[in-house]
Amino acid sequence: MSSMDQKRSEQLKDRAHELYYRAQQNAPNSRQILGLVTLLAIGGLLLLLGGLAITGTTVTAVLATPVLILFSPILIPLAVVAFFTIGGLLGAGTFGVAVLSAISWAYNYYKNRHPYGSEQLDEVRHRLSETASQIKEKARGYGSEAKGFMQSKTDTSLAA
């Protein structure tokens, strides 16, 4: 064998060792392999359960359709009544909760426990009070101007 062939053979061996070392470094460890197997098993199980659910829904719809068509003169009015009854009960319950919340808030505000939003309410009340005072002062000013105007008119009409 020539020295060139021998040199080439050495380079190929070195390259093969380098590739083998890189492959070992980048190979997944047992934890990663176990995680992948677990992920695939859970994914497959969920896919199977989803397929069974769709199949069950389809079979139920196919079997229940004739029964629903047969009993529709009874079931449709019953469903409408049930819908409005449930809606009314839910609405009344919601309104009841809102009323109880408002009463609780007002009680806490009255007891000076500073419920959420009480600072804003106090600020609005203060602004309204200031505005009412300003309007009251303007009304007094306009009233005194009107009184003076009326007196001047009556004085001039008496003098004439």
Side-chain angles (χ1 to χ4, degrees):
M1 220 195 258
S2 73
S3 70
M4 279 269 222
D5 288 337
Q6 209 174 18
K7 196 174 193 184
R8 179 82 175 136
S9 174
E10 286 290 326
Q11 286 177 346
L12 288 175
K13 279 184 185 179
D14 288 342
R15 182 77 175 140
H17 284 291
E18 182 184 334
L19 289 175
Y20 179 73
Y21 179 71
R22 280 189 186 175
Q24 281 183 338
Q25 283 183 335
N26 293 332
N29 59 23
S30 61
R31 186 175 180 196
Q32 289 173 331
I33 292 173
L34 184 63
L36 179 65
V37 168
T38 304
L39 181 67
L40 289 175
I42 291 173
L45 180 66
L46 290 176
L47 189 61
L48 176 72
L49 289 175
L52 287 175
I54 290 174
T55 304
T57 303
T58 304
V59 168
T60 303
V62 167
L63 294 177
T65 300
V67 175
L68 289 174
I69 290 174
L70 183 66
F71 289 109
S72 65
I74 298 168
L75 293 178
I76 291 176
L78 183 66
V80 169
V81 169
F83 174 77
F84 283 115
T85 302
I86 291 170
L89 290 174
L90 288 174
T94 303
F95 184 70
V97 168
V99 166
L100 288 175
S101 296
I103 289 171
S104 171
W105 188 93
Y107 178 76
N108 286 331
Y109 183 78
Y110 176 73
K111 291 291 187 176
N112 262 344
R113 293 186 186 152
H114 303 290
Y116 181 75
S118 62
E119 293 84 15
Q120 292 171 339
L121 180 66
D122 291 339
E123 184 179 336
V124 167
R125 186 172 48 179
H126 181 69
R127 283 185 185 176
L128 284 174
S129 172
E130 285 180 359
T131 304
S133 297
Q134 291 172 355
I135 290 174
K136 184 177 175 183
E137 290 301 318
K138 282 186 179 182
R140 281 188 182 154
Y142 290 143
S144 63
E145 283 181 26
K147 186 177 180 183
F149 178 74
M150 292 302 285
Q151 282 182 350
S152 68
K153 288 295 180 181
T154 52
D155 289 343
T156 55
S157 65
L158 290 178

